[in-house]
Amino acid sequence: MPRIALLEEAVINKIAAGEVVERPSLVVKELVENAIDAGADIITIEIKDGGFQLIRVTDNGYGIEAEEVRNAFLRHATSKIRYAEDLQTVESLGFRGEALSSIAAVSQTEVITKTKEKLMGVRYVIEGGREQRMEAIGCPEGTTFLVRNLFFNTPARRKFMKTPQTEAGYIGDMIQYLALSHENICFKYIHNGQLKLQTSGNGNRKEAIYSIFGRDIAGNLCLVEEVQAIKDGFLHITGFCGKPVITRGNRNLEIYFVNGRYIKNNVITEAIEDAYRPYMMTRKYPFTALYLELPLYLVDINVHPSKLEAQFGNREAIYQLVEHAISHALSKKELIPEVFVEKKHSLEVFQEQKLMEEKQDIGILSEKDSFSDRSFFDGVPFIKEESETVALKPYQEELFEMPFLCKEAKKQHKIIGQLFSTYWLIEFHDKLFILDQHAAHEKVLYERNLAAFYKKEKLYSQLLIVPVIVSLSMTEQQILKENLSFLQKFGFEIEPFGGNEYAIHAVPADMMDLADQELFLEFLQALIKGQKTPEFILEKMAMISCKGAVKGKRELKKEEVIALLDELLTLKQPYHCPHGRPTIISISKYEIEKKFKRIV
Ligand code: ADP
Ligand code: MG
C-alpha cells in the first residue's frame, strides 16, 4: 500500500501552475496586473514566439524590497491582503498570492527590481521553482520580469497549446482589455520585435479606444453614463457603446469591466444585446467599452484566477442599469447611416497632421497633441488652411445639425419621388435621404403592435371566411388551454371543434399569405418548448409586422409617404426595422459633388 506524504512545495506549485497560468496570455495578465497594482504608469510588454520563448514585462512601479523578493515567490504570499475580512474590500487586481510561485514553477524566471529608497536593485533567478541566483544589480526604479521557456518542464502542457501566433493573439486581446481599463497607464506591446499596440496613458478613454481599435470604431461611439440607486449604494456605468453601424459576427468586442476588471458575465451580455436588438440584425454583435462600478459586496471576485466569469448579487438591477443606459445612449443619436459613394477622401497632408485631424474629428485631441500653427477657440479647432477647413466641416456641422426625423425638420423635407418602386428620395439641408418604404412601414407596425400588446390590448385580427380545422395532440391541447389568452392577444381566435379538433376562426391581421395553421402550430411548438419569453414575443411581433408592411416594388402615393414619415418620427427608435436593417440612409451633397469632380 503506498504511503501518504505531503507534497513538496515545488510540486504543489507545478500542479497549481496548470490552473493559474494555464497559457501564456494568463502569465502576461498576472504580470501586468502586478505592475498595475504596483502603481506603475508605464508598462511595456515584450513577447517572443507567442510568449513561449520570452515574456518580458517592465514597469515603473514601486518595486519589491530586496529582502522580500524570495517571499514574493512563495505560494499564497501577497502584500495585498492580510485577513479573511480583507476579501470584502480588496481593490487590487491580485490578492491570491499564487501567480509568481506558479509562473516560476513552470519556467525560467528572472526578476530585476528596485524601490525608490534603495540605491541598488536586486536580480533574482528561479527556474522550475528552484532558486538559482540572487545578486545586487544597478537598475532603474520599478520591476522587470523575464519569463523564459514557459512550460519547459511540463512538455505535456506545451503540447496542448495553440500555435505561437494564436497565443500572441490571446495576449494581444488581454493587453487590449488591460489598456482599456487603465487609460492612465501608457501600455506598449511588442511581439517578435514588432510594435503591436501603444496607448498614450493620458487619461482619455476615447483616445485609448482610438489607439487600440482605430478610427472606424472611435469615430462611431455613443457616450454611456448612468447611475442607479439601490438599497445599499449605487450602481454606476460609464463608457461608450458603438453605433449600430459597427457590427461583428462574434461577441469579441462586447467589452465591459466591473470595478476595473475585465470579466465575462451572462447578465451583462444579455442586457447589452437586448438593448441593441432593435438596431441589429440577428447574429450581429456590437462594440462596447463599458465600465461598471458596483458595490463590492455585490461582486464575487473570488473566482478561479484563470476564469473570467464573475457572479453578481442583485442581477436584476444590474441588467436594468446596463440595458437602460445603452438604450438611452443609442436613442439620443440620430442613427441614420451615411453612405459614401467612394472611399473616404484622404487629404494630402503629412502623416502626423492626418492623425491630428482624425483625433480632432472624434474629439480626442489632447493637450499633449496641440501644435503651434493651430489655434483653438472654445475647444473647436480653428484651422487656417482652406483644404483643412473642408475636412473639419463634417465635424462642425454635426454639432449643429437638425435631426432629419423631427417635426421642425419635416416642414423642410423636399420629397423628390420614388425610386425603383421601393425607396423614397428626400432632400433635406445638404443631404439626400433615402427611405426604404417596406422597412419603415414594418418598424411603424412593429412599434404599434408592441405597444398594443404591452397595453394588454388585442392585436388586429382577421376573421377567416372558412375556419381552419387542426387536430392537436394531448400536449398541444393542454398548452393551448393554458395559453389561450396569450394567443388571443396576438389575434388568434380558436375554439374546440369536437374530439381532438380545433377551429381557427381568426389569425393576426395581414397574415393571410402565411398558411394559417402553420403560424398557429409554430406558436404552439414554441410554447411547448417554454419559449414564452420577451424575445419570442418580439420575434413573432417582428414577423407579423414584416408580413403586414407595404412591400417593396409597390407604387405608393406621396401622401402615404408623408403619413409614414409622420408616424416614423413619433417612434423611439425609428432608424432600424425590427430585423436591424436601416430604414433610412443618407448621402451628403459633398459626396455627390466629389463624385462629379466639382470638388477634388
Ligand atoms: P498577488 O498579486 O496575488 O499578491 P503574486 O504572486 O502575483 O500575488 O505576487 C506576489 C507579491 O509580489 C505581490 O503581492 C507584490 O507584493 C509583489 N509583486 C509582484 N509583482 C510586482 C511588481 N511588478 N511590482 C511590485 N511588487 C510586485
Ligand atoms: Mg498578482
Side-chain angles (χ1 to χ4, degrees):
M1 172 120 19
R3 301 279 305 277
I4 298 173
L6 275 181
L7 292 173
E8 224 189 299
E9 169 110 355
V11 182
I12 296 175
N13 288 337
K14 208 166 155 184
I15 294 169
E19 298 177 346
V20 183
V21 289
E22 219 179 357
R23 53 184 347 114
S25 60
L26 291 169
V27 175
V28 173
K29 172 176 179 275
E30 292 296 337
L31 294 179
V32 174
E33 286 188 347
N34 279 347
I36 295 170
D37 285 344
D41 60 11
I42 303 177
I43 301 175
T44 303
I45 305 108
E46 191 179 349
I47 67 161
K48 290 214 172 105
D49 191 25
F52 293 111
Q53 202 190 108
L54 173 75
I55 295 172
R56 185 200 340 245
V57 178
T58 302
D59 71 56
N60 65 345
Y62 49 60
I64 311 174
E65 293 290 355
E67 53 276 18
E68 294 205 324
V69 171
R70 272 197 190 98
N71 287 346
F73 284 89
L74 294 180
R75 197 162 148 77
H76 299 308
T78 177
S79 56
K80 298 169 194 174
I81 55 169
R82 284 272 177 282
Y83 308 105
E85 304 84 74
D86 296 345
L87 281 172
Q88 308 300 317
T89 53
V90 60
E91 287 190 16
S92 55
L93 293 168
F95 60 85
R96 302 169 65 108
E98 285 179 297
L100 295 189
S101 55
S102 305
I103 294 168
V106 291
S107 70
Q108 295 157 345
T109 299
E110 180 179 335
V111 56
I112 297 168
T113 182
K114 188 179 98 63
T115 59
K116 196 160 74 192
E117 296 73 26
K118 296 280 161 59
L119 283 175
M120 289 291 278
V122 60
R123 173 167 177 264
Y124 181 71
V125 182
I126 172 169
E127 292 182 7
R130 305 201 189 273
E131 179 175 326
Q132 304 293 315
R133 185 184 282 256
M134 170 84 137
E135 63 194 9
I137 191 173
C139 61
E141 200 178 313
T143 306
T144 295
F145 272 93
L146 292 113
V147 177
R148 294 192 178 90
N149 298 324
L150 188 62
F151 306 129
F152 79 106
N153 55 353
T154 51
R157 173 152 301 275
R158 179 70 178 83
K159 257 200 209 137
F160 276 111
M161 293 293 127
K162 305 248 171 68
T163 64
Q165 221 45 45
T166 313
E167 294 297 334
Y170 291 150
I171 294 175
D173 287 348
M174 188 65 78
I175 294 170
Q176 275 179 8
Y177 304 142
L178 289 160
L180 274 180
S181 50
H182 296 89
E183 63 276 10
N184 290 310
I185 298 178
C186 163
F187 284 89
K188 202 169 172 183
Y189 167 45
I190 299 160
H191 181 221
N192 287 344
Q194 263 188 328
L195 180 66
K196 293 282 183 195
L197 177 149
Q198 183 161 20
T199 61
S200 74
N202 70 357
N204 186 329
R205 270 183 193 160
K206 204 169 177 183
E207 175 157 343
I209 294 175
Y210 172 80
S211 309
I212 297 168
F213 299 106
R215 185 197 170 102
D216 277 354
I217 286 185
N220 281 299
L221 297 176
C222 306
L223 186 70
V224 176
E225 184 144 42
E226 191 148 314
V227 189
Q228 200 175 302
I230 53 164
K231 217 164 59 217
D232 313 299
F234 291 94
L235 310 178
H236 193 213
I237 183 171
T238 53
F240 296 94
C241 63
K243 291 185 196 169
V245 285
I246 312 173
T247 58
R248 289 291 180 276
N250 58 47
R251 296 192 164 92
N252 285 359
L253 293 188
E254 288 178 4
I255 301 168
Y256 43 84
F257 305 93
V258 171
N259 297 344
R261 279 164 210 274
Y262 173 77
I263 56 137
K264 285 273 141 217
N265 174 269
N266 287 343
V267 175
I268 298 181
T269 303
E270 208 177 300
I272 292 174
E273 288 172 17
D274 285 352
Y276 271 95
R277 187 150 294 121
Y279 306 99
M280 282 214 172
M281 305 234 204
T282 42
R283 282 182 284 282
K284 289 284 175 205
Y285 304 94
F287 170 86
T288 65
L290 302 171
Y291 303 81
L292 284 88
E293 292 297 331
L294 309 178
L296 289 172
Y297 72 87
L298 279 185
V299 188
D300 180 11
I301 50 162
N302 196 12
V303 282
H304 195 282
S306 67
K307 304 279 183 295
L308 299 168
E309 282 89 22
Q311 300 300 326
F312 302 132
N314 210 342
R315 296 149 57 100
E316 186 58 25
I318 292 167
Y319 173 91
Q320 294 289 345
L321 174 83
V322 177
E323 199 275 338
H324 186 262
I326 297 180
S327 298
H328 185 65
L330 292 175
S331 65
K332 272 195 299 197
K333 292 257 179 187
E334 177 147 74
L335 297 163
I336 300 177
E338 189 170 343
V339 295
F340 298 97
V341 183
E342 59 188 53
K343 272 211 149 70
K344 227 174 164 39
H345 177 64
S346 69
L347 292 172
E348 297 290 311
V349 285
F350 292 113
Q351 196 63 33
E352 192 191 346
Q353 269 175 293
K354 195 165 155 251
L355 193 72
M356 293 295 160
E357 282 158 11
E358 287 187 358
K359 289 184 176 184
Q360 281 162 358
D361 272 4
I362 52 180
I364 53 165
L365 197 77
S366 63
E367 273 174 43
K368 276 190 200 165
D369 293 327
S370 58
F371 50 96
S372 54
D373 64 334
R374 283 156 198 251
S375 49
F376 289 83
F377 179 70
D378 277 350
V380 178
F382 168 70
I383 293 191
K384 293 170 200 132
E385 289 157 59
E386 212 176 322
S387 60
E388 292 185 343
T389 315
V390 178
L392 272 186
K393 226 178 141 212
Y395 173 73
Q396 281 158 343
E397 275 172 359
E398 207 180 311
L399 291 178
F400 306 108
E401 220 170 62
M402 181 192 282
F404 173 75
L405 285 181
C406 72
K407 278 213 174 98
E408 203 44 43
K410 192 149 178 282
K411 293 182 207 142
Q412 301 171 37
H413 288 174
K414 190 170 148 198
I415 300 182
I416 301 166
Q418 198 187 28
L419 175 75
F420 307 138
S421 313
T422 303
Y423 307 102
W424 284 80
L425 306 182
I426 304 155
E427 181 188 324
F428 174 63
H429 288 184
D430 53 5
K431 272 188 186 165
L432 169 68
F433 289 82
I434 305 176
L435 176 94
D436 178 329
Q437 65 188 33
H438 170 71
H441 191 213
E442 183 182 344
K443 186 58 183 251
V444 166
L445 290 184
Y446 177 73
E447 293 231 351
R448 221 194 263 157
N449 283 341
L450 260 193
F453 188 86
Y454 285 119
K455 268 198 253 152
K456 308 207 187 319
E457 288 166 12
K458 209 162 83 71
L459 295 197
Y460 290 110
S461 66
Q462 194 152 341
L463 280 176
L464 302 176
I465 304 167
V466 184
V468 174
I469 312 297
V470 286
S471 66
L472 302 179
S473 70
M474 297 299 272
T475 323
E476 285 169 336
Q477 291 180 43
Q478 183 57 31
I479 285 287
L480 174 64
K481 253 187 236 150
E482 287 167 16
N483 292 284
L484 207 55
S485 64
F486 179 76
L487 287 162
Q488 276 167 356
K489 276 177 70 183
F490 273 96
F492 288 105
E493 296 291 347
I494 300 127
E495 275 181 0
F497 197 67
N500 291 341
E501 303 205 310
Y502 287 77
I504 307 172
H505 291 285
V507 292
D510 296 306
M511 297 301 279
M512 296 294 280
D513 50 351
L514 259 200
D516 312 304
Q517 74 177 48
E518 203 178 289
L519 178 71
F520 171 70
L521 292 175
E522 199 185 303
F523 262 79
L524 273 191
Q525 280 314 310
L527 289 169
I528 289 170
K529 285 189 208 137
Q531 290 172 349
K532 205 160 98 185
T533 57
E535 234 169 65
F536 167 80
I537 295 169
L538 294 180
E539 191 196 308
K540 288 289 171 272
M541 215 53 102
M543 182 174 145
I544 290 172
S545 311
C546 181
K547 298 284 170 197
V550 52
K551 299 288 174 297
K553 299 238 183 317
R554 224 200 79 183
E555 303 288 334
L556 274 194
K557 292 203 196 77
K558 196 165 166 180
E559 295 70 47
E560 290 176 293
V561 172
I562 295 174
L564 184 57
L565 279 164
D566 271 332
E567 283 225 47
L568 212 52
L569 60 87
T570 64
L571 304 186
K572 266 196 250 132
Q573 294 152 347
Y575 307 108
H576 295 81
C577 85
H579 299 98
R581 285 190 298 277
T583 53
I584 310 170
I585 58 170
S586 75
I587 304 173
S588 70
K589 183 179 168 204
Y590 174 73
E591 274 298 315
I592 294 173
E593 292 194 331
K594 246 171 46 196
K595 199 68 191 159
F596 282 105
K597 307 275 185 236
R598 284 169 177 267
I599 299 172
V600 275

